[in-house]
Amino acid sequence: MGHFLTTVVVVVALLPIWVLAVEASKHREEKTTKSLRFGGDGQFKILQVADMHYADGKMTPCEDVLPSQVAGCSDLNTTAFVKRMIQAEKPDFIVFTGDNIYGFDATDAAKSMDAAFAPAIASNIPWAAVLGNHDQESDLSREGVMKHIVGYKSTLAQVNPSDQDVIDGFGNYNLEVGGVQGTGFENKSVLNLYFLDSGDYSTVPSIPGYGWIKPSQQFWFQQTSANLKKAYMKKPQAQKTSAPGLAYFHIPLPEFASFDSSNSTGVRQEGISSASVNSGFFTTLVEAGDVKAVFTGHDHVNDFCGKLTGINLCYAGGFGYHAYGKAGWDRRARVVAATLEKTSTGGWGAVKSIKTWKRLDDQHLSTINSEVLWTKSSAVSIDYFGTGVRRKKHIGGP
């Protein structure tokens, strides 16, 4: 891996400046024109990869694996797992939710990221990333890490919203997932994805511990959510409520502590390492009304999902092999699939349901803990007199 990367650097260095400028321009153009959309099968599948903790590839040993797994185990096992997941699930989108690299052990942050994200880049599947608390602990600042990420091919990640002069952190942005082409929803976002920087560590001397989502970020989220709702409720196919949303960030909210084995699916095997203060972001999410699930990482041996005040709070479970874990407890990844409703004329409408499951990095890539996170209120879509004008007749449901 190291020799390959060195060769690439040398070749790039020999290219004329105008060639590099053209390539950079092409990547920027690709990012602005590439969009997410439901396919003709009415599904949109997201693969979440949490806490890869990538460092120096083959030279980086695994942590917390069985004695029989130690020999030859390295970051390359993490790479192999990403490839297996992409091949098995064939996701429409991949999200990396922080601690993508483990800065303390990464001698060159850029090279570590190149290797960590290589399977996603090679797949040509659109992907995005947020930062954790370890990504900036090598030779790049937090801003530098995010700027490096957004320069990759096929990523839709952004450093920050272009319309926000002041916002805390790096990697706050949203992505819209359009409806099926050729339907009334093709120019609407039927699923909204929010990405936020949950910080690394507190910068307030009197407050110890991890970072949190700040008021400036919450204000941006509120504005974005309100604007998306307004657009969704306009013609054509004017809807009565917001499109469902999903939020991705690294550090769990304090509300994750509301769950144990009696009211969640999955396991809780360690404490909830949230900030020591409650920023109120959960209340902000509830008030906005569109986010149906939050997905985080950070606590590697927690992988549960639980619902609180209508919002699912979900861990992905630890993915990377150079991250702490639990020997004998397989590394894992979370998958989310949104499915559209069928209209009375056989077309595709709005999102009908959102499901999730996890896959283990075992011999069979086992699927566990499949569950429905959200379903739309039961309704029948009627096309009156074949005019193309539809009305929703509610027949029950929440």
Side-chain angles (χ1 to χ4, degrees):
M1 183 65 74
H3 293 310
F4 171 75
L5 289 171
T6 303
T7 304
V8 171
V9 171
V10 171
V11 171
V12 169
L14 293 174
L15 288 172
I17 294 297
W18 68 267
V19 174
L20 296 177
V22 168
E23 286 300 311
S25 176
K26 281 165 65 178
H27 288 332
R28 283 194 296 272
E29 186 177 340
E30 180 188 64
K31 280 184 66 175
T32 56
T33 58
K34 199 175 186 72
S35 60
L36 299 175
R37 181 177 297 282
F38 277 77
D41 61 351
Q43 284 214 348
F44 188 82
K45 188 186 291 185
I46 303 170
L47 167 62
Q48 180 189 0
V49 176
D51 299 273
M52 286 192 293
H53 276 236
Y54 217 93
D56 290 342
K58 191 176 182 179
M59 304 303 296
T60 303
C62 295
E63 292 188 15
D64 295 333
V65 293
L66 295 171
S68 60
Q69 298 174 302
V70 171
C73 192
S74 71
D75 278 337
L76 300 189
N77 290 64
T78 302
T79 296
F81 187 21
V82 179
K83 290 179 178 177
R84 289 184 80 197
M85 284 301 303
I86 290 173
Q87 191 171 33
E89 291 289 357
K90 296 177 176 57
D92 299 291
F93 185 56
I94 305 168
V95 184
F96 297 92
T97 50
D99 282 3
N100 308 299
I101 64 171
Y102 187 61
F104 280 130
D105 292 342
T107 54
D108 184 321
K111 284 186 177 181
S112 292
M113 284 188 281
D114 292 347
F117 297 123
I121 296 168
S123 74
N124 208 33
I125 295 169
W127 61 277
V130 293
L131 302 181
N133 53 294
H134 290 304
D135 291 285
Q136 78 292 337
E137 292 168 341
S138 181
D139 58 345
L140 284 177
S141 67
R142 200 166 181 80
E143 181 179 11
V145 169
M146 202 65 215
K147 284 184 174 178
H148 189 81
I149 289 172
V150 302
Y152 284 120
K153 179 186 175 186
S154 70
T155 186
L156 298 179
Q158 300 168 33
V159 174
N160 268 329
S162 57
D163 60 346
Q164 295 291 314
D165 294 330
V166 178
I167 188 167
D168 286 279
F170 302 97
N172 303 288
Y173 55 101
N174 72 289
L175 296 173
E176 302 176 16
V177 186
V180 176
Q181 279 188 311
T183 70
F185 288 88
E186 68 176 342
N187 294 319
K188 282 185 179 290
S189 176
V190 296
L191 180 67
N192 297 313
L193 308 178
Y194 300 98
F195 306 88
L196 296 107
D197 181 3
S198 53
D200 48 11
Y201 303 96
S202 171
T203 56
V204 182
S206 58
I207 302 175
Y210 293 108
W212 57 89
I213 294 170
K214 305 291 178 59
S216 63
Q217 298 166 279
Q218 297 191 42
F219 178 65
W220 163 78
F221 165 77
Q222 288 173 315
Q223 284 185 310
T224 304
S225 172
N227 289 337
L228 289 168
K229 180 179 182 180
K230 192 180 296 183
Y232 195 58
M233 295 176 73
K234 285 182 178 178
K235 295 180 179 180
Q237 296 289 356
Q239 300 296 295
K240 293 181 179 179
T241 59
S242 306
L246 306 176
Y248 289 89
F249 46 90
H250 182 71
I251 297 174
L253 301 171
E255 285 78 8
F256 274 69
S258 305
F259 304 105
D260 55 32
S261 60
S262 69
N263 59 356
S264 65
T265 301
V267 296
R268 175 176 171 175
Q269 301 178 117
E270 63 177 308
I272 310 301
S273 299
S274 58
S276 60
V277 293
N278 193 323
S279 70
F281 187 48
F282 182 76
T283 302
T284 299
L285 290 170
V286 173
E287 189 177 40
D290 61 332
V291 170
K292 307 306 178 187
V294 169
F295 301 97
T296 68
H298 193 53
D299 298 327
H300 305 176
V301 295
N302 290 341
D303 73 348
F304 65 79
C305 259
K307 184 179 284 188
L308 181 66
T309 324
I311 298 178
N312 294 276
L313 301 179
C314 300
Y315 279 109
F319 190 101
Y321 280 86
H322 184 55
Y324 79 81
K326 187 176 179 182
W329 194 70
D330 298 300
R331 264 60 175 185
R332 58 204 58 211
R334 182 172 290 281
V335 180
V336 172
T339 303
L340 301 178
E341 62 183 353
K342 274 278 190 182
T343 62
S344 59
T345 55
W348 294 110
V351 174
K352 178 183 179 182
S353 66
I354 300 172
K355 302 176 182 179
T356 188
W357 59 89
K358 297 183 296 269
R359 283 216 190 223
L360 308 181
D361 193 21
D362 60 11
Q363 183 181 350
H364 305 290
L365 214 61
S366 303
T367 299
I368 63 168
N369 298 148
S370 297
E371 60 180 314
V372 176
L373 296 178
W374 176 82
T375 56
K376 185 180 180 182
S377 297
S378 182
V380 177
S381 182
I382 304 172
D383 185 347
Y384 287 96
F385 310 111
T387 61
V389 178
R390 286 181 165 74
R391 298 289 186 270
K392 292 289 183 182
K393 181 181 178 183
H394 288 271
I395 56 174

